[in-house]
Amino acid sequence: MRTTTGPSAQQQSGEQPPATQQSVEQCPECGADVPVDERFVRWCAACDWNVDPHPPEPPKGRIEEGRRALARRHGERLLTEMTEAGEEPRPRRDASALLAYGLALAVHGLTAALLVAGVWLTAAVPGPGVKVVGVLLLLIAWSLRPRWRKLPEGADLLHRSDAPELYALVDQVAATVGTRSVDTIAVDADVNASVTTYGIRGRRLLTLGLPLWESLTPQERIALLGHELGHYSHGDVRHGRVLASAYRSLSLWAYYTAPTANPTLVEMAVNLFYLVPRTLIHGLILLLDQLTLRATQRAEYLADAAAARTASTEAAVGLLDRLLVGSAADTVLRREVNQAATRTTGPRSGADRAGEERPERLWETVAAHVASIPESEYARRRRAGAIRGHAVDATHPPTHLRRAALLAGPASPAAVTADAERTRRVDGELAPLRAAVTRRVIRDGVR
Ligand SMILES: [Zn+2]
Ligand SMILES: [Zn+2]
């Protein structure tokens, strides 16, 4: 499986990465050979010495601790379930996911009930006092209403007419994973990608992070599209939207019933009065959290399987590896952006101006750095992830488990491919946004 080295197209066209030092040291623990690359952590593959020099902080608070314990318990079992009997894993809402969905709908039902009661009290029941209560209920219902997400303001968007080749590729991937394609594509500077919906008609938005996109091979990019569109075809986005708006309503309820600090006697009585609803609201938030944890992890495995079906198992595994070293891409991006920002504020030389005029240089540098990461660094991050387990993030299964799930079944061939000409055309369509995002990150910095 190709993971790291070997000259890539990006490396050839871009800036050469710093030369890798080829020296070897002895492990202080067991004496085994440790390869030395000054840019990366020195560690021993034989005894795990220094494999994770900066382990994450232990979880803060009981809720987070509980979530991770639960994630750990579910994690291994879910992997077994997903890889069982060599069968293609299917999207399936288990009892807890359905219960969570039901609770979310009940929260929205309560808002609807408030609305109906408000209308009835203001319109049908006589008496000014009743009307005041009715208006109050209407105001509360209005504040709790589910809202349509809007297109992010100031986002760098790529419309269908601007990028026919990229949209054709996304359409093809969507058809392969069995879902409708996206309406809009946005590009940003995150080492990530995501899908969501916006507007009343639930239009689809795919966001591609340039540092990630640029560091992937053409086939891994297709795997990324397969993963993201897989989230649509499995209903994750729709469920996510209902749940997210229920969470929002619940946190507003929590805000309305929060106790007053330094209360007067009357406020103390109100605080006491709200004790029961307040406890119920917090309990409901916790319960929703616990119920959805398993489903969100399962959704990631399924999206990975969609990526493999679309772009081949090899490309899907390659994508996971790139995500594993995502923080390295982020570090290089920040360094380059800082340097460029210093250059633009300082006195300018001809060479600097040339750099500004060639914004793709930034992305070539990031891609070249990622392409030059040695296999031992990938191995270290995988190993550290396995030791950390669910210590970092409860919503995503650890990468080593996702990798194991992909490699457990028979290898999938690619259903969608992009030849050199297609890749070149897609690159060309992205060029104006590459320039826009570069100008923006140099002006505003990296988030
Ligand atoms: Zn050792
Ligand atoms: Zn995902």
Side-chain angles (χ1 to χ4, degrees):
M1 188 210 60
R2 186 213 53 70
T3 39
T4 55
T5 46
S8 69
Q10 293 143 342
Q11 223 170 318
Q12 283 159 0
S13 64
E15 193 174 83
Q16 284 304 311
T20 313
Q21 234 170 338
Q22 291 300 329
S23 61
V24 169
E25 262 182 19
Q26 250 73 55
C27 165
E29 294 284 327
C30 73
D33 281 353
V34 172
V36 178
D37 184 328
E38 290 303 332
R39 301 170 303 157
F40 299 104
V41 171
R42 247 165 265 195
W43 74 291
C44 174
C47 73
D48 282 348
W49 166 74
N50 208 31
V51 64
D52 195 4
H54 306 290
E57 302 229 328
K60 283 195 182 81
R62 278 209 343 260
I63 295 175
E64 196 46 40
E65 220 171 283
R67 293 185 75 203
R68 291 184 193 185
L70 193 75
R72 244 193 324 277
R73 242 179 301 141
H74 281 321
E76 302 281 342
R77 202 170 351 130
L78 192 56
L79 173 67
T80 322
E81 208 181 291
M82 299 308 286
T83 53
E84 229 158 40
E87 224 182 280
E88 186 71 5
R90 273 169 213 292
R92 177 173 67 81
R93 303 272 158 209
D94 53 19
S96 49
L98 287 175
L99 186 55
Y101 198 61
L103 283 173
L105 289 178
V107 170
H108 294 310
L110 184 60
T111 307
L114 283 178
L115 180 73
V116 170
V119 169
W120 181 65
L121 287 180
T122 38
V125 184
V130 178
K131 291 217 190 306
V132 171
V133 175
V135 169
L136 198 65
L137 290 186
L138 283 177
L139 284 175
I140 294 175
W142 179 250
S143 74
L144 292 169
R145 77 197 185 279
R147 275 161 226 204
W148 313 118
R149 210 193 294 264
K150 295 193 193 105
L151 269 183
E153 223 158 283
D156 292 300
L157 301 179
L158 200 57
H159 297 289
R160 206 164 257 278
S161 52
D162 308 328
E165 191 70 49
L166 177 59
Y167 273 91
L169 183 64
V170 174
D171 293 350
Q172 202 187 344
V173 170
T176 308
V177 303
T179 192
R180 174 165 70 77
S181 190
V182 303
D183 301 288
T184 309
I185 297 174
V187 173
D188 66 15
D190 288 346
V191 190
N192 206 347
S194 63
V195 283
T196 184
T197 53
Y198 65 94
I200 194 158
R201 289 163 59 206
R203 294 170 84 74
R204 293 181 166 185
L205 171 71
L206 166 69
T207 305
L208 297 173
L210 270 185
L212 177 62
W213 182 263
E214 297 289 323
S215 61
L216 298 177
T217 65
Q219 206 54 34
E220 287 163 358
R221 290 173 187 167
I222 296 173
L224 179 67
L225 297 177
H227 178 103
E228 294 305 329
L229 285 147
H231 280 308
Y232 283 125
S233 72
H234 304 141
D236 306 334
V237 179
R238 191 183 64 241
H239 272 245
R241 206 161 57 139
V242 172
L243 281 164
S245 53
Y247 268 117
R248 193 188 147 272
S249 293
L250 282 173
S251 36
L252 263 178
W253 278 117
Y255 171 76
Y256 290 149
T257 56
T260 325
N262 309 318
T264 61
L265 212 58
V266 179
E267 286 168 342
M268 261 157 99
V270 174
N271 284 352
L272 199 65
F273 177 76
Y274 278 147
L275 184 66
V276 173
R278 198 162 55 227
T279 312
L280 270 174
I281 292 160
H282 282 286
L284 200 53
I285 291 175
L286 261 182
L287 181 64
L288 271 181
D289 217 39
Q290 303 275 306
L291 289 173
T292 48
L293 202 78
R294 217 176 113 85
T296 48
Q297 288 205 26
R298 167 190 274 278
E300 289 309 320
Y301 283 118
L302 288 168
D304 285 343
R309 267 201 318 280
T310 315
S312 80
T313 301
E314 190 194 350
V317 171
L319 169 64
L320 284 183
D321 285 334
R322 297 302 191 193
L323 287 169
L324 197 64
V325 296
S327 62
D330 203 44
T331 309
V332 174
L333 179 64
R334 277 165 204 279
R335 191 192 66 204
E336 289 294 312
V337 163
N338 284 339
Q339 285 175 1
T342 326
R343 274 201 303 271
T344 47
T345 51
R348 294 169 173 217
S349 71
D352 292 339
R353 268 197 298 276
E356 278 167 52
E357 280 155 23
R358 247 171 53 76
E360 60 270 32
R361 212 194 117 268
L362 177 68
W363 308 106
E364 282 167 5
T365 308
V366 171
H369 177 80
V370 172
S372 76
I373 295 174
E375 170 56 27
S376 67
E377 177 63 10
Y378 283 89
R380 184 186 74 77
R381 288 185 187 232
R382 278 198 288 272
R383 185 77 194 111
I387 293 168
R388 288 179 184 185
H390 276 283
V392 189
D393 177 6
T395 54
H396 279 65
T399 310
H400 72 284
L401 293 185
R402 287 171 69 184
R403 217 167 176 274
L406 279 173
L407 293 170
S412 204
V416 180
T417 53
D419 58 15
E421 181 52 28
R422 189 178 207 185
T423 306
R424 200 188 54 75
R425 280 202 296 268
V426 170
D427 271 350
E429 290 172 353
L430 278 167
L433 283 201
R434 216 176 280 137
V437 173
T438 307
R439 274 196 300 276
R440 196 131 70 93
V441 290
I442 289 174
R443 195 188 63 214
D444 304 339
V446 184
R447 262 188 299 158

